[in-house]
PDB file of all heavy atoms in Angstrom:
ATOM      1  N   ARG Z   3     108.460  81.667 101.501  1.00  0.00           N
ATOM      2  CA  ARG Z   3     108.455  83.124 101.419  1.00  0.00           C
ATOM      3  C   ARG Z   3     107.023  83.652 101.516  1.00  0.00           C
ATOM      4  O   ARG Z   3     106.769  84.667 102.120  1.00  0.00           O
ATOM      5  CB  ARG Z   3     109.046  83.583 100.085  1.00  0.00           C
ATOM      6  CG  ARG Z   3     110.507  83.827 100.140  1.00  0.00           C
ATOM      7  CD  ARG Z   3     110.886  85.116  99.438  1.00  0.00           C
ATOM      8  NE  ARG Z   3     110.147  86.276  99.911  1.00  0.00           N
ATOM      9  CZ  ARG Z   3     110.360  86.894 101.058  1.00  0.00           C
ATOM     10  NH1 ARG Z   3     111.249  86.465 101.911  1.00  0.00           N
ATOM     11  NH2 ARG Z   3     109.646  87.952 101.391  1.00  0.00           N
ATOM     12  N   ILE Z  10     104.925  89.734 107.974  1.00  0.00           N
ATOM     13  CA  ILE Z  10     105.591  91.035 107.770  1.00  0.00           C
ATOM     14  C   ILE Z  10     104.524  92.126 107.641  1.00  0.00           C
ATOM     15  O   ILE Z  10     104.607  93.187 108.265  1.00  0.00           O
ATOM     16  CB  ILE Z  10     106.486  91.012 106.505  1.00  0.00           C
ATOM     17  CG1 ILE Z  10     107.655  90.038 106.680  1.00  0.00           C
ATOM     18  CG2 ILE Z  10     107.013  92.415 106.192  1.00  0.00           C
ATOM     19  CD1 ILE Z  10     108.422  89.744 105.392  1.00  0.00           C
ATOM     20  N   LEU Z  11     103.507  91.833 106.829  1.00  0.00           N
ATOM     21  CA  LEU Z  11     102.421  92.805 106.634  1.00  0.00           C
ATOM     22  C   LEU Z  11     101.641  93.003 107.934  1.00  0.00           C
ATOM     23  O   LEU Z  11     101.274  94.123 108.285  1.00  0.00           O
ATOM     24  CB  LEU Z  11     101.481  92.320 105.526  1.00  0.00           C
ATOM     25  CG  LEU Z  11     102.092  92.235 104.115  1.00  0.00           C
ATOM     26  CD1 LEU Z  11     101.254  91.336 103.223  1.00  0.00           C
ATOM     27  CD2 LEU Z  11     102.200  93.621 103.492  1.00  0.00           C
ATOM     28  N   LYS Z  14     103.418  95.156 110.555  1.00  0.00           N
ATOM     29  CA  LYS Z  14     103.345  96.593 110.247  1.00  0.00           C
ATOM     30  C   LYS Z  14     102.019  97.167 110.754  1.00  0.00           C
ATOM     31  O   LYS Z  14     101.990  98.258 111.331  1.00  0.00           O
ATOM     32  CB  LYS Z  14     103.477  96.830 108.743  1.00  0.00           C
ATOM     33  CG  LYS Z  14     103.392  98.304 108.406  1.00  0.00           C
ATOM     34  CD  LYS Z  14     103.301  98.574 106.933  1.00  0.00           C
ATOM     35  CE  LYS Z  14     102.878 100.000 106.688  1.00  0.00           C
ATOM     36  NZ  LYS Z  14     101.475 100.244 107.047  1.00  0.00           N
ATOM     37  N   ARG Z  17     102.265  97.540 114.516  1.00  0.00           N
ATOM     38  CA  ARG Z  17     103.087  98.715 114.874  1.00  0.00           C
ATOM     39  C   ARG Z  17     102.326 100.009 114.605  1.00  0.00           C
ATOM     40  O   ARG Z  17     102.364 100.941 115.399  1.00  0.00           O
ATOM     41  CB  ARG Z  17     104.404  98.701 114.102  1.00  0.00           C
ATOM     42  CG  ARG Z  17     105.496  97.866 114.758  1.00  0.00           C
ATOM     43  CD  ARG Z  17     106.877  98.317 114.314  1.00  0.00           C
ATOM     44  NE  ARG Z  17     106.979  98.408 112.873  1.00  0.00           N
ATOM     45  CZ  ARG Z  17     107.231  97.375 112.071  1.00  0.00           C
ATOM     46  NH1 ARG Z  17     107.415  96.188 112.599  1.00  0.00           N
ATOM     47  NH2 ARG Z  17     107.302  97.531 110.776  1.00  0.00           N
ATOM     48  N   ASP Z  18     101.625 100.057 113.466  1.00  0.00           N
ATOM     49  CA  ASP Z  18     100.816 101.247 113.153  1.00  0.00           C
ATOM     50  C   ASP Z  18      99.776 101.468 114.241  1.00  0.00           C
ATOM     51  O   ASP Z  18      99.559 102.590 114.693  1.00  0.00           O
ATOM     52  CB  ASP Z  18     100.076 101.068 111.806  1.00  0.00           C
ATOM     53  CG  ASP Z  18     101.026 101.157 110.619  1.00  0.00           C
ATOM     54  OD1 ASP Z  18     102.209 101.475 110.841  1.00  0.00           O
ATOM     55  OD2 ASP Z  18     100.582 100.891 109.488  1.00  0.00           O
ATOM     56  N   ARG Z  21     101.392 102.796 117.284  1.00  0.00           N
ATOM     57  CA  ARG Z  21     101.881 104.155 117.096  1.00  0.00           C
ATOM     58  C   ARG Z  21     100.750 105.168 117.111  1.00  0.00           C
ATOM     59  O   ARG Z  21     100.857 106.218 117.737  1.00  0.00           O
ATOM     60  CB  ARG Z  21     102.640 104.245 115.772  1.00  0.00           C
ATOM     61  CG  ARG Z  21     103.610 105.391 115.738  1.00  0.00           C
ATOM     62  CD  ARG Z  21     104.240 105.545 114.383  1.00  0.00           C
ATOM     63  NE  ARG Z  21     104.536 104.288 113.726  1.00  0.00           N
ATOM     64  CZ  ARG Z  21     105.761 103.865 113.452  1.00  0.00           C
ATOM     65  NH1 ARG Z  21     106.793 104.582 113.793  1.00  0.00           N
ATOM     66  NH2 ARG Z  21     105.940 102.724 112.817  1.00  0.00           N
ATOM     67  N   GLU Z  85      95.081 103.159 101.379  1.00  0.00           N
ATOM     68  CA  GLU Z  85      96.367 102.951 100.691  1.00  0.00           C
ATOM     69  C   GLU Z  85      96.286 103.330  99.215  1.00  0.00           C
ATOM     70  O   GLU Z  85      97.258 103.795  98.634  1.00  0.00           O
ATOM     71  CB  GLU Z  85      96.820 101.500 100.850  1.00  0.00           C
ATOM     72  CG  GLU Z  85      97.194 101.163 102.277  1.00  0.00           C
ATOM     73  CD  GLU Z  85      98.486 100.376 102.385  1.00  0.00           C
ATOM     74  OE1 GLU Z  85      99.335 100.463 101.484  1.00  0.00           O
ATOM     75  OE2 GLU Z  85      98.642  99.663 103.386  1.00  0.00           O
ATOM     76  N   HIS Z  88      96.303 107.252  99.286  1.00  0.00           N
ATOM     77  CA  HIS Z  88      97.620 107.832  99.594  1.00  0.00           C
ATOM     78  C   HIS Z  88      98.676 107.481  98.558  1.00  0.00           C
ATOM     79  O   HIS Z  88      99.737 108.081  98.524  1.00  0.00           O
ATOM     80  CB  HIS Z  88      98.103 107.352 100.964  1.00  0.00           C
ATOM     81  CG  HIS Z  88      97.308 107.914 102.096  1.00  0.00           C
ATOM     82  ND1 HIS Z  88      96.976 107.180 103.206  1.00  0.00           N
ATOM     83  CD2 HIS Z  88      96.754 109.130 102.269  1.00  0.00           C
ATOM     84  CE1 HIS Z  88      96.249 107.925 104.017  1.00  0.00           C
ATOM     85  NE2 HIS Z  88      96.097 109.109 103.466  1.00  0.00           N
ATOM     86  N   LEU Z  93     102.992 101.138  95.061  1.00  0.00           N
ATOM     87  CA  LEU Z  93     104.343 100.608  95.279  1.00  0.00           C
ATOM     88  C   LEU Z  93     104.283  99.201  95.877  1.00  0.00           C
ATOM     89  O   LEU Z  93     105.006  98.301  95.440  1.00  0.00           O
ATOM     90  CB  LEU Z  93     105.105 101.557  96.212  1.00  0.00           C
ATOM     91  CG  LEU Z  93     106.606 101.382  96.286  1.00  0.00           C
ATOM     92  CD1 LEU Z  93     107.231 101.447  94.906  1.00  0.00           C
ATOM     93  CD2 LEU Z  93     107.223 102.447  97.172  1.00  0.00           C
ATOM     94  N   THR Z  96     103.970  96.280  93.578  1.00  0.00           N
ATOM     95  CA  THR Z  96     105.103  95.910  92.717  1.00  0.00           C
ATOM     96  C   THR Z  96     106.088  95.020  93.474  1.00  0.00           C
ATOM     97  O   THR Z  96     107.080  94.579  92.915  1.00  0.00           O
ATOM     98  CB  THR Z  96     105.851  97.148  92.185  1.00  0.00           C
ATOM     99  OG1 THR Z  96     106.437  97.852  93.285  1.00  0.00           O
ATOM    100  CG2 THR Z  96     104.937  98.067  91.418  1.00  0.00           C
ATOM    101  N   TYR Z  97     105.805  94.779  94.745  1.00  0.00           N
ATOM    102  CA  TYR Z  97     106.659  93.888  95.546  1.00  0.00           C
ATOM    103  C   TYR Z  97     106.160  92.446  95.423  1.00  0.00           C
ATOM    104  O   TYR Z  97     105.029  92.224  94.990  1.00  0.00           O
ATOM    105  CB  TYR Z  97     106.659  94.361  97.018  1.00  0.00           C
ATOM    106  CG  TYR Z  97     107.692  95.426  97.237  1.00  0.00           C
ATOM    107  CD1 TYR Z  97     107.477  96.727  96.803  1.00  0.00           C
ATOM    108  CD2 TYR Z  97     108.928  95.130  97.816  1.00  0.00           C
ATOM    109  CE1 TYR Z  97     108.434  97.704  96.941  1.00  0.00           C
ATOM    110  CE2 TYR Z  97     109.895  96.104  97.959  1.00  0.00           C
ATOM    111  CZ  TYR Z  97     109.650  97.393  97.528  1.00  0.00           C
ATOM    112  OH  TYR Z  97     110.621  98.348  97.648  1.00  0.00           O
ATOM    113  N   PRO Z  98     106.991  91.479  95.819  1.00  0.00           N
ATOM    114  CA  PRO Z  98     106.551  90.082  95.710  1.00  0.00           C
ATOM    115  C   PRO Z  98     105.487  89.734  96.745  1.00  0.00           C
ATOM    116  O   PRO Z  98     105.712  88.961  97.668  1.00  0.00           O
ATOM    117  CB  PRO Z  98     107.841  89.274  95.917  1.00  0.00           C
ATOM    118  CG  PRO Z  98     108.812  90.197  96.528  1.00  0.00           C
ATOM    119  CD  PRO Z  98     108.400  91.585  96.228  1.00  0.00           C
ATOM    120  N   GLU Z 274      92.187  97.778  89.205  1.00  0.00           N
ATOM    121  CA  GLU Z 274      93.411  98.122  88.477  1.00  0.00           C
ATOM    122  C   GLU Z 274      93.932  99.460  88.942  1.00  0.00           C
ATOM    123  O   GLU Z 274      93.185 100.287  89.452  1.00  0.00           O
ATOM    124  CB  GLU Z 274      93.115  98.176  86.974  1.00  0.00           C
ATOM    125  CG  GLU Z 274      92.714  96.833  86.429  1.00  0.00           C
ATOM    126  CD  GLU Z 274      92.732  96.788  84.915  1.00  0.00           C
ATOM    127  OE1 GLU Z 274      93.253  97.727  84.299  1.00  0.00           O
ATOM    128  OE2 GLU Z 274      92.235  95.813  84.365  1.00  0.00           O
ATOM    129  N   LEU Z 275      95.237  99.651  88.752  1.00  0.00           N
ATOM    130  CA  LEU Z 275      95.833 100.917  89.194  1.00  0.00           C
ATOM    131  C   LEU Z 275      96.171 101.794  88.005  1.00  0.00           C
ATOM    132  O   LEU Z 275      96.365 101.328  86.934  1.00  0.00           O
ATOM    133  CB  LEU Z 275      97.089 100.638  90.011  1.00  0.00           C
ATOM    134  CG  LEU Z 275      96.740 100.095  91.383  1.00  0.00           C
ATOM    135  CD1 LEU Z 275      97.167  98.662  91.492  1.00  0.00           C
ATOM    136  CD2 LEU Z 275      97.404 100.924  92.456  1.00  0.00           C
TER     137      LEU Z 275
ATOM    138  N   LYS O  14      95.410  99.704  75.632  1.00  0.00           N
ATOM    139  CA  LYS O  14      94.807  99.922  76.944  1.00  0.00           C
ATOM    140  C   LYS O  14      93.771 101.030  76.833  1.00  0.00           C
ATOM    141  O   LYS O  14      94.095 102.147  76.409  1.00  0.00           O
ATOM    142  CB  LYS O  14      95.874 100.296  77.974  1.00  0.00           C
ATOM    143  CG  LYS O  14      95.313 100.490  79.366  1.00  0.00           C
ATOM    144  CD  LYS O  14      94.774  99.191  79.943  1.00  0.00           C
ATOM    145  CE  LYS O  14      93.954  99.435  81.199  1.00  0.00           C
ATOM    146  NZ  LYS O  14      93.346  98.191  81.699  1.00  0.00           N
ATOM    147  N   LEU O  55     100.491  96.032  86.926  1.00  0.00           N
ATOM    148  CA  LEU O  55      99.557  96.736  87.815  1.00  0.00           C
ATOM    149  C   LEU O  55      98.206  96.931  87.128  1.00  0.00           C
ATOM    150  O   LEU O  55      97.202  97.177  87.776  1.00  0.00           O
ATOM    151  CB  LEU O  55     100.122  98.095  88.220  1.00  0.00           C
ATOM    152  CG  LEU O  55     101.358  98.042  89.118  1.00  0.00           C
ATOM    153  CD1 LEU O  55     101.969  99.419  89.267  1.00  0.00           C
ATOM    154  CD2 LEU O  55     101.005  97.473  90.479  1.00  0.00           C
ATOM    155  N   THR O  56      98.231  96.858  85.809  1.00  0.00           N
ATOM    156  CA  THR O  56      97.000  96.981  85.061  1.00  0.00           C
ATOM    157  C   THR O  56      97.066  95.996  83.889  1.00  0.00           C
ATOM    158  O   THR O  56      98.153  95.658  83.435  1.00  0.00           O
ATOM    159  CB  THR O  56      96.795  98.451  84.611  1.00  0.00           C
ATOM    160  OG1 THR O  56      95.512  98.586  84.073  1.00  0.00           O
ATOM    161  CG2 THR O  56      97.823  98.911  83.605  1.00  0.00           C
ATOM    162  N   SER O  76     104.343  86.839  90.834  1.00  0.00           N
ATOM    163  CA  SER O  76     104.649  87.439  92.134  1.00  0.00           C
ATOM    164  C   SER O  76     106.087  87.161  92.572  1.00  0.00           C
ATOM    165  O   SER O  76     106.784  88.059  93.063  1.00  0.00           O
ATOM    166  CB  SER O  76     103.666  86.905  93.174  1.00  0.00           C
ATOM    167  OG  SER O  76     103.906  87.502  94.404  1.00  0.00           O
ATOM    168  N   ARG O  79     108.781  89.310  91.105  1.00  0.00           N
ATOM    169  CA  ARG O  79     108.842  90.711  91.540  1.00  0.00           C
ATOM    170  C   ARG O  79     110.026  90.985  92.455  1.00  0.00           C
ATOM    171  O   ARG O  79     110.360  92.128  92.717  1.00  0.00           O
ATOM    172  CB  ARG O  79     107.535  91.107  92.244  1.00  0.00           C
ATOM    173  CG  ARG O  79     106.353  91.126  91.313  1.00  0.00           C
ATOM    174  CD  ARG O  79     105.108  91.663  91.992  1.00  0.00           C
ATOM    175  NE  ARG O  79     103.958  91.569  91.118  1.00  0.00           N
ATOM    176  CZ  ARG O  79     103.699  92.425  90.129  1.00  0.00           C
ATOM    177  NH1 ARG O  79     104.494  93.448  89.925  1.00  0.00           N
ATOM    178  NH2 ARG O  79     102.650  92.257  89.360  1.00  0.00           N
ATOM    179  N   ARG O  80     110.633  89.918  92.952  1.00  0.00           N
ATOM    180  CA  ARG O  80     111.830  90.104  93.786  1.00  0.00           C
ATOM    181  C   ARG O  80     112.974  90.738  93.000  1.00  0.00           C
ATOM    182  O   ARG O  80     113.849  91.363  93.578  1.00  0.00           O
ATOM    183  CB  ARG O  80     112.293  88.759  94.352  1.00  0.00           C
ATOM    184  CG  ARG O  80     111.376  88.214  95.388  1.00  0.00           C
ATOM    185  CD  ARG O  80     111.876  86.927  95.934  1.00  0.00           C
ATOM    186  NE  ARG O  80     113.028  87.133  96.795  1.00  0.00           N
ATOM    187  CZ  ARG O  80     113.698  86.156  97.358  1.00  0.00           C
ATOM    188  NH1 ARG O  80     113.367  84.920  97.142  1.00  0.00           N
ATOM    189  NH2 ARG O  80     114.719  86.416  98.136  1.00  0.00           N
ATOM    190  N   TYR O  84     110.940  99.526  91.252  1.00  0.00           N
ATOM    191  CA  TYR O  84     110.059 100.535  90.637  1.00  0.00           C
ATOM    192  C   TYR O  84     110.081 101.809  91.462  1.00  0.00           C
ATOM    193  O   TYR O  84     109.911 101.775  92.671  1.00  0.00           O
ATOM    194  CB  TYR O  84     108.635  99.967  90.568  1.00  0.00           C
ATOM    195  CG  TYR O  84     107.561 100.925  90.091  1.00  0.00           C
ATOM    196  CD1 TYR O  84     107.755 101.737  88.972  1.00  0.00           C
ATOM    197  CD2 TYR O  84     106.332 101.004  90.745  1.00  0.00           C
ATOM    198  CE1 TYR O  84     106.763 102.593  88.529  1.00  0.00           C
ATOM    199  CE2 TYR O  84     105.325 101.850  90.298  1.00  0.00           C
ATOM    200  CZ  TYR O  84     105.551 102.650  89.179  1.00  0.00           C
ATOM    201  OH  TYR O  84     104.559 103.494  88.746  1.00  0.00           O
ATOM    202  N   SER O  90     104.775 107.849  97.000  1.00  0.00           N
ATOM    203  CA  SER O  90     104.123 108.072  98.303  1.00  0.00           C
ATOM    204  C   SER O  90     104.573 107.013  99.293  1.00  0.00           C
ATOM    205  O   SER O  90     104.630 105.834  98.952  1.00  0.00           O
ATOM    206  CB  SER O  90     102.612 107.976  98.162  1.00  0.00           C
ATOM    207  OG  SER O  90     102.135 108.997  97.362  1.00  0.00           O
ATOM    208  N   TYR O  92     104.390 105.761 103.711  1.00  0.00           N
ATOM    209  CA  TYR O  92     103.601 105.864 104.946  1.00  0.00           C
ATOM    210  C   TYR O  92     104.195 107.004 105.788  1.00  0.00           C
ATOM    211  O   TYR O  92     105.338 106.931 106.214  1.00  0.00           O
ATOM    212  CB  TYR O  92     103.649 104.540 105.702  1.00  0.00           C
ATOM    213  CG  TYR O  92     103.177 103.374 104.869  1.00  0.00           C
ATOM    214  CD1 TYR O  92     104.073 102.492 104.281  1.00  0.00           C
ATOM    215  CD2 TYR O  92     101.814 103.165 104.652  1.00  0.00           C
ATOM    216  CE1 TYR O  92     103.636 101.425 103.494  1.00  0.00           C
ATOM    217  CE2 TYR O  92     101.365 102.107 103.875  1.00  0.00           C
ATOM    218  CZ  TYR O  92     102.281 101.244 103.292  1.00  0.00           C
ATOM    219  OH  TYR O  92     101.847 100.195 102.516  1.00  0.00           O
ATOM    220  N   HIS O  94     103.923 108.125 108.781  1.00  0.00           N
ATOM    221  CA  HIS O  94     104.321 108.006 110.179  1.00  0.00           C
ATOM    222  C   HIS O  94     105.594 107.188 110.362  1.00  0.00           C
ATOM    223  O   HIS O  94     106.110 107.102 111.457  1.00  0.00           O
ATOM    224  CB  HIS O  94     103.173 107.369 110.966  1.00  0.00           C
ATOM    225  CG  HIS O  94     102.740 106.063 110.360  1.00  0.00           C
ATOM    226  ND1 HIS O  94     101.774 106.001 109.375  1.00  0.00           N
ATOM    227  CD2 HIS O  94     103.169 104.807 110.554  1.00  0.00           C
ATOM    228  CE1 HIS O  94     101.617 104.737 109.005  1.00  0.00           C
ATOM    229  NE2 HIS O  94     102.451 103.992 109.697  1.00  0.00           N
ATOM    230  N   GLU O  99     112.741 102.626 108.980  1.00  0.00           N
ATOM    231  CA  GLU O  99     111.653 101.646 109.128  1.00  0.00           C
ATOM    232  C   GLU O  99     111.069 101.265 107.768  1.00  0.00           C
ATOM    233  O   GLU O  99     110.812 100.096 107.495  1.00  0.00           O
ATOM    234  CB  GLU O  99     110.530 102.224 110.005  1.00  0.00           C
ATOM    235  CG  GLU O  99     110.872 102.274 111.476  1.00  0.00           C
ATOM    236  CD  GLU O  99     109.842 103.059 112.291  1.00  0.00           C
ATOM    237  OE1 GLU O  99     109.091 103.865 111.704  1.00  0.00           O
ATOM    238  OE2 GLU O  99     109.811 102.881 113.507  1.00  0.00           O
ATOM    239  N   TYR O 103     111.205  97.656 106.029  1.00  0.00           N
ATOM    240  CA  TYR O 103     109.934  96.993 105.691  1.00  0.00           C
ATOM    241  C   TYR O 103     109.965  96.479 104.252  1.00  0.00           C
ATOM    242  O   TYR O 103     109.671  95.310 103.985  1.00  0.00           O
ATOM    243  CB  TYR O 103     108.798  98.001 105.897  1.00  0.00           C
ATOM    244  CG  TYR O 103     107.424  97.567 105.450  1.00  0.00           C
ATOM    245  CD1 TYR O 103     106.792  96.464 106.011  1.00  0.00           C
ATOM    246  CD2 TYR O 103     106.732  98.299 104.481  1.00  0.00           C
ATOM    247  CE1 TYR O 103     105.516  96.092 105.612  1.00  0.00           C
ATOM    248  CE2 TYR O 103     105.459  97.939 104.084  1.00  0.00           C
ATOM    249  CZ  TYR O 103     104.855  96.828 104.643  1.00  0.00           C
ATOM    250  OH  TYR O 103     103.594  96.471 104.245  1.00  0.00           O
ATOM    251  N   ARG O 106     112.362  93.547 103.877  1.00  0.00           N
ATOM    252  CA  ARG O 106     111.804  92.274 104.353  1.00  0.00           C
ATOM    253  C   ARG O 106     110.841  91.692 103.323  1.00  0.00           C
ATOM    254  O   ARG O 106     110.848  90.503 103.049  1.00  0.00           O
ATOM    255  CB  ARG O 106     111.086  92.467 105.695  1.00  0.00           C
ATOM    256  CG  ARG O 106     112.020  92.607 106.886  1.00  0.00           C
ATOM    257  CD  ARG O 106     111.306  92.274 108.189  1.00  0.00           C
ATOM    258  NE  ARG O 106     110.147  93.107 108.448  1.00  0.00           N
ATOM    259  CZ  ARG O 106     110.187  94.327 108.962  1.00  0.00           C
ATOM    260  NH1 ARG O 106     111.356  94.865 109.271  1.00  0.00           N
ATOM    261  NH2 ARG O 106     109.094  95.011 109.182  1.00  0.00           N
ATOM    262  N   LEU O 107     110.012  92.568 102.741  1.00  0.00           N
ATOM    263  CA  LEU O 107     109.056  92.075 101.743  1.00  0.00           C
ATOM    264  C   LEU O 107     109.769  91.487 100.527  1.00  0.00           C
ATOM    265  O   LEU O 107     109.298  90.550  99.904  1.00  0.00           O
ATOM    266  CB  LEU O 107     108.137  93.216 101.280  1.00  0.00           C
ATOM    267  CG  LEU O 107     107.029  93.635 102.242  1.00  0.00           C
ATOM    268  CD1 LEU O 107     106.259  94.820 101.673  1.00  0.00           C
ATOM    269  CD2 LEU O 107     106.058  92.489 102.518  1.00  0.00           C
ATOM    270  N   GLN O 147     114.628 102.290  97.724  1.00  0.00           N
ATOM    271  CA  GLN O 147     113.771 101.093  97.770  1.00  0.00           C
ATOM    272  C   GLN O 147     113.736 100.386  96.415  1.00  0.00           C
ATOM    273  O   GLN O 147     113.641  99.170  96.350  1.00  0.00           O
ATOM    274  CB  GLN O 147     112.361 101.414  98.303  1.00  0.00           C
ATOM    275  CG  GLN O 147     111.466 102.310  97.469  1.00  0.00           C
ATOM    276  CD  GLN O 147     110.839 101.639  96.269  1.00  0.00           C
ATOM    277  OE1 GLN O 147     110.590 100.452  96.282  1.00  0.00           O
ATOM    278  NE2 GLN O 147     110.619 102.398  95.212  1.00  0.00           N
TER     279      GLN O 147
END
Side-chain angles (χ1 to χ4, degrees):
Chain Z
R3 269 224 54 75
I10 294 168
L11 295 161
K14 179 189 166 289
R17 275 203 309 277
D18 288 354
R21 203 186 322 245
E85 292 225 25
H88 291 141
L93 195 54
T96 64
Y97 275 76
E274 296 193 11
L275 287 112
Chain O
K14 182 66 192 176
L55 292 171
T56 189
S76 182
R79 293 186 185 281
R80 290 181 73 183
Y84 174 46
S90 295
Y92 304 102
H94 54 271
E99 286 171 340
Y103 173 61
R106 284 201 301 279
L107 284 177
Q147 66 77 30

